[in-house]
Amino acid sequence: DWLWEQGTDFRFTMVCWGGSSQIDRGAPYIGKRRWEVTDFKAEDERWNQHKRELSEHRPFYDFRFEWVGSDSAVRDVSISGIPIHDRDGVFAGYRGIGRDLTAQIKSERELYETRERALNAEALLQDAIDSIDQGIAVYDRDDRLVTCNEGYHRLFPGDRALRAPGARYDDLLRAAMAKEAFPEAIGRENEWLTEMLRRFHDADGVAEQPLANNAW
């Protein structure tokens, strides 16, 4: 962070740089107002609100804007300040700190863009899966459902909410057995479940299962 002070006319009277900020420290900020060394636009309501706070001598916290250096380099900064008064209680200006947020904001933007790309890829995958009539499901290494399509929902009777992302494969089988959806499992539930899980982990070709509705 760096320290700064302003007089009653809101012009910088002191700027004491610190930390690893890359802001152009050699620029002549003393004697200038904050909006004279920034991206200030008169129609920007953020700046108008900031100016009202200053005119009313109120403290402010984490006001963010783009700081333009003498070399035209633009940095994202945050400032906080409190009004100062003389011994008679008369307003004497402001004192506060500044912080360079450029690297932080860049990282946040990159993270947001990465998440957007991941969401788009996920949506494309889901669209591809949904376009297939046959039952398709994707499970993770812990046997938990990642996604599935309508065809997969039709393979299992009952509440489709059970097939929400995160559902375990063996729990889906147990729920189906409870509804007697698989005739082969009746009377030999544990043995059947073990065989189904073996097939799930070590698929060795086509596996056929009769369903209670006489489908396969």
Side-chain angles (χ1 to χ4, degrees):
D1 296 350
W2 64 85
L3 304 178
W4 54 267
E5 287 187 356
Q6 294 173 330
T8 56
D9 56 359
F10 312 122
R11 297 181 185 275
F12 286 109
T13 58
M14 183 273 287
V15 179
C16 181
W17 300 108
S20 58
S21 170
Q22 298 301 310
I23 285 181
D24 176 18
R25 304 178 184 201
Y29 299 124
I30 303 302
K32 292 186 177 182
R33 296 183 176 92
R34 181 171 294 112
W35 46 90
E36 295 172 347
V37 292
T38 68
D39 64 335
F40 170 71
K41 296 179 179 61
E43 66 275 13
D44 190 331
E45 180 54 32
R46 295 179 310 111
W47 276 103
N48 293 330
Q49 174 62 28
H50 179 59
K51 284 186 171 183
R52 284 194 291 271
E53 290 174 334
L54 295 179
S55 65
E56 295 170 3
H57 305 163
R58 288 189 284 155
F60 59 90
Y61 175 72
D62 195 26
F63 176 63
R64 299 187 177 194
F65 60 93
E66 292 182 339
W67 186 297
V68 183
S70 60
D71 57 355
S72 298
V74 179
R75 310 292 296 179
D76 295 296
V77 304
S78 166
I79 56 167
S80 301
I82 57 173
I84 53 178
H85 302 81
D86 62 19
R87 292 180 178 179
D88 298 324
V90 178
F91 174 70
Y94 270 90
R95 177 180 296 131
I97 61 172
R99 176 171 296 173
D100 187 350
L101 301 179
T102 307
Q104 173 186 329
I105 290 178
K106 179 182 178 182
S107 295
E108 290 172 352
R109 288 170 180 162
E110 290 174 348
L111 178 59
Y112 174 78
E113 291 170 358
T114 299
R115 286 175 174 170
E116 284 294 298
R117 287 194 295 270
L119 289 173
N120 290 336
E122 183 178 342
L124 287 173
L125 172 63
Q126 190 64 51
D127 286 344
I129 291 175
D130 286 339
S131 68
I132 301 172
D133 271 343
Q134 294 173 314
I136 300 289
V138 178
Y139 284 85
D140 65 16
R141 67 182 63 190
D142 297 317
D143 296 351
R144 293 189 179 277
L145 183 65
V146 176
T147 186
C148 66
N149 67 353
E150 283 299 319
Y152 192 73
H153 282 298
R154 290 194 295 270
L155 293 176
F156 294 92
D159 188 359
R160 61 188 294 138
L162 293 173
R163 295 176 292 283
R168 290 185 58 86
Y169 182 66
D170 57 338
D171 289 337
L172 295 181
L173 292 179
R174 289 188 176 91
M177 284 193 299
K179 295 180 178 295
E180 298 186 345
F182 297 102
E184 285 190 351
I186 297 175
R188 52 187 292 270
E189 285 79 4
N190 290 337
E191 180 183 351
W192 182 85
L193 181 61
T194 299
E195 175 61 20
M196 290 293 288
L197 291 175
R198 185 197 66 77
R199 291 182 183 178
F200 182 72
H201 293 125
D202 301 303
D204 51 7
V206 176
E208 294 185 340
Q209 279 290 323
L211 303 178
N213 60 2
N214 295 320
W216 287 77

